[in-house]
Amino acid sequence: MTKPKHIVLTSHPSSSRCNSPAINWGESDPLKRGPIVGTLVNSGHRNVIGTHSGSYSVYRALAVASGTLEPNHRPDLTNTAPIVPIGPHPSWTDPNLIVSLDPFGAMVGEVYSDLYQQGYDIRPTIAITKAHINMPELQDAVEKKRLAIDGKIIKNDGSLVVTKVAIDPVWYLPGIAQRLDIQESYLRRALFQQTGGMFPELITRPDLKVFLPPIGGITVYLIGDVAAITEPNRLLAVRVHDECNGSDVFGSDICTCRPYLVHGLEVCVETAQAGGAGVIVYFRKEGRALGEVTKFLVYNARKRQAGGDSANAYFNRTECVAGVQDIRFQELMPDVLHWLGIKRIDRFVSMSDMKYNAIVQSGIEIIQRIPIPEHLIPADAQVEIAAKKAAGYYTENTTEQDAIALAEIQGRGLAD
């Protein structure tokens, strides 16, 4: 009888530690900073906790288990480099500004090519490409003359030209802990315990400072000239949007998510066509990061209560089911804006105080906040709006604040 092969439960055996490239977070030279190596082709090369591809690593495991994927496959990165270059920016070397993604993640195929040839399985955590998107609401905006076909940003068929960026999460644990004002040891223990002990290295390997969490990533849509994003004399519009599958994809009318997302796109296009640029940042944080099952349970609880759905039960029922109202932790959200080199946002298409405060406190200036127009709010979503107003979830600009912001924007080339 064949003796079963010994399986090492931790992916970082102590005998292999000396082969791992060091990671020096915040170094300006990517070679000195070191590559992110989270693959299992050679466990001795690994220098992070977790694996690449976030939650999709589980599907990779299924493919390996079923025999459809060789476990030692290394990607051929030929012609996969970014279509549009982004950075480097000074913010990339500030360990306090970027802690939840790898700023060099899109250029690993070039800067680490020698290490790759030596056998290190270094994989991109950021990909940058170009595409066209076509949404009926944008077609409607063209038909109603709110947006113009210019052949460059909006093509003759009404499609929108965008630069698309996909980002996988890369967490620098000391920076995450500092951002959340907690001890790194407590952060590590909570991550270990709340993932059912999936990553023992969080506890056993304090020398490993980088974690690739099994969560969804970020998609960024850049509209107009990418160079305009960092040029101080050109206007920038930004919408930061957290995933809502029901509304964003299927048009559910219980919330304002898709209408606000589309309105953000329209503002971004308008700004880009006026010589500036627009940025849509889309986070995979379904149901305020509580998940879609929890979201639907809350929907049921709200609709079935005595007297029907109401604003005063909006957050209360969420807390009853989930134990908390919101766990998106917007403190980490500005990292992607700093990765883009953003220092000022002229038109921020959001009224969320949580988002606004996180961005401003990270050092980015916001000139004007743009609410969703009343006519875009679905009838069933009025409860959401009323609840958020009552809870102080967002701030509505006063006439004086609007006047100051509008004067600033008019002075630099764009008025509503």
Side-chain angles (χ1 to χ4, degrees), residues 20 53 75 88 249 259 261 272 292 314 318 407:
S20 305
S53 300
V249 179
L261 175 62
E292 202 165 32
Y314 182 86
T318 301

Side-chain angles (χ1 to χ4, degrees), residues 150-396:
D150 58 7
K152 184 177 180 181
I153 296 173
I154 297 184
K155 308 296 281 187
N156 292 335
D157 63 357
S159 62
L160 175 62
V161 179
V162 297
T163 298
K164 293 172 60 174
V165 183
I167 303 174
D168 280 341
V170 178
W171 285 7
Y172 178 57
L173 293 174
I176 297 283
Q178 182 179 5
R179 190 78 62 85
L180 300 181
D181 194 25
I182 57 178
Q183 293 183 0
E184 183 185 343
S185 60
Y186 187 78
L187 170 66
R188 286 173 172 267
R189 181 165 296 277
L191 288 169
F192 170 70
Q193 292 175 337
Q194 296 303 313
T195 56
M198 286 175 63
F199 305 101
E201 299 83 14
L202 287 164
I203 303 299
T204 63
R205 294 293 305 275
D207 59 306
L208 294 177
K209 300 297 185 181
V210 175
F211 177 42
L212 305 183
I215 60 174
I218 309 167
T219 306
V220 185
Y221 290 84
L222 308 177
I223 301 159
D225 182 6
V226 173
I229 294 173
T230 56
E231 293 183 6
N233 61 335
R234 300 171 76 177
L235 294 165
L236 178 65
V238 172
R239 165 70 183 168
V240 174
H241 192 91
D242 293 315
E243 179 183 27
C244 178
N245 182 63
S247 178
D248 296 341
V249 179
F250 294 100
S252 172
D253 65 350
I254 199 171
C255 62
T256 60
C257 295
R258 181 180 173 99
Y260 219 154
L261 175 62
V262 174
H263 182 59
L265 271 169
E266 189 170 329
V267 173
C268 285
V269 172
E270 178 191 20
T271 306
Q273 288 185 327
V279 174
I280 300 289
V281 183
Y282 194 94
F283 282 89
R284 297 313 190 286
K285 295 179 180 177
E286 178 66 60
R288 302 195 202 107
L290 299 169
E292 202 165 32
V293 169
T294 295
K295 178 195 282 190
F296 287 10
L297 293 175
V298 172
Y299 286 166
N300 290 346
R302 284 168 46 193
K303 297 286 186 178
R304 288 171 173 166
Q305 64 186 345
D309 199 5
S310 64
N312 61 5
Y314 182 86
F315 288 113
N316 178 263
R317 294 309 299 155
T318 301
E319 193 164 354
C320 287
V321 174
V324 65
Q325 294 180 4
D326 191 322
I327 55 172
R328 285 176 289 181
F329 288 97
Q330 301 294 3
E331 293 93 338
L332 304 179
M333 171 266 292
D335 288 26
V336 64
L337 304 178
H338 288 292
W339 177 74
L340 290 167
I342 293 173
K343 295 182 178 180
R344 187 198 66 247
I345 298 171
D346 297 286
R347 314 179 84 198
F348 184 52
V349 192
S350 171
M351 297 308 291
S352 165
D353 285 348
M354 294 171 65
K355 294 176 182 177
Y356 174 87
N357 291 337
I359 292 172
V360 171
Q361 289 169 10
S362 79
I364 297 174
E365 181 184 11
I366 292 178
I367 304 299
Q368 181 189 27
R369 300 166 70 178
I370 298 178
I372 184 172
E374 288 287 338
H375 70 274
L376 293 182
I377 301 174
D380 206 24
Q382 293 293 340
V383 170
E384 173 197 5
I385 296 298
K388 288 182 176 180
K389 286 181 179 179
Y393 197 81
Y394 66 85
T395 299
E396 294 182 277

Side-chain angles (χ1 to χ4, degrees), residues 91-167:
S91 54
W92 290 20
T93 62
D94 188 334
N96 296 315
L97 291 182
I98 299 179
V99 299
S100 62
L101 59 88
D102 175 13
F104 300 106
M107 55 178 65
V108 301
E110 295 75 46
V111 298
Y112 299 126
S113 58
D114 288 345
L115 287 173
Y116 190 84
Q117 293 301 319
Q118 293 173 33
Y120 289 93
D121 190 1
I122 306 167
R123 306 191 180 191
T125 58
I126 300 176
I128 305 171
T129 189
K130 292 187 73 70
H132 296 78
I133 61 175
N134 203 320
M135 300 177 71
E137 293 92 338
L138 293 179
Q139 295 277 1
D140 182 68
V142 170
E143 291 174 4
K144 293 181 178 177
K145 310 297 184 184
R146 295 197 307 273
L147 296 176
I149 291 175
D150 58 7
K152 184 177 180 181
I153 296 173
I154 297 184
K155 308 296 281 187
N156 292 335
D157 63 357
S159 62
L160 175 62
V161 179
V162 297
T163 298
K164 293 172 60 174
V165 183
I167 303 174

Side-chain angles (χ1 to χ4, degrees), residues 36 38-39 50-61 123-125 167-170 212-217:
I36 303 295
T39 59
T51 59
H52 285 301
S53 300
S55 56
Y56 294 101
S57 61
V58 177
Y59 288 102
R60 186 171 65 242
R123 306 191 180 191
T125 58
I167 303 174
D168 280 341
V170 178
L212 305 183
I215 60 174

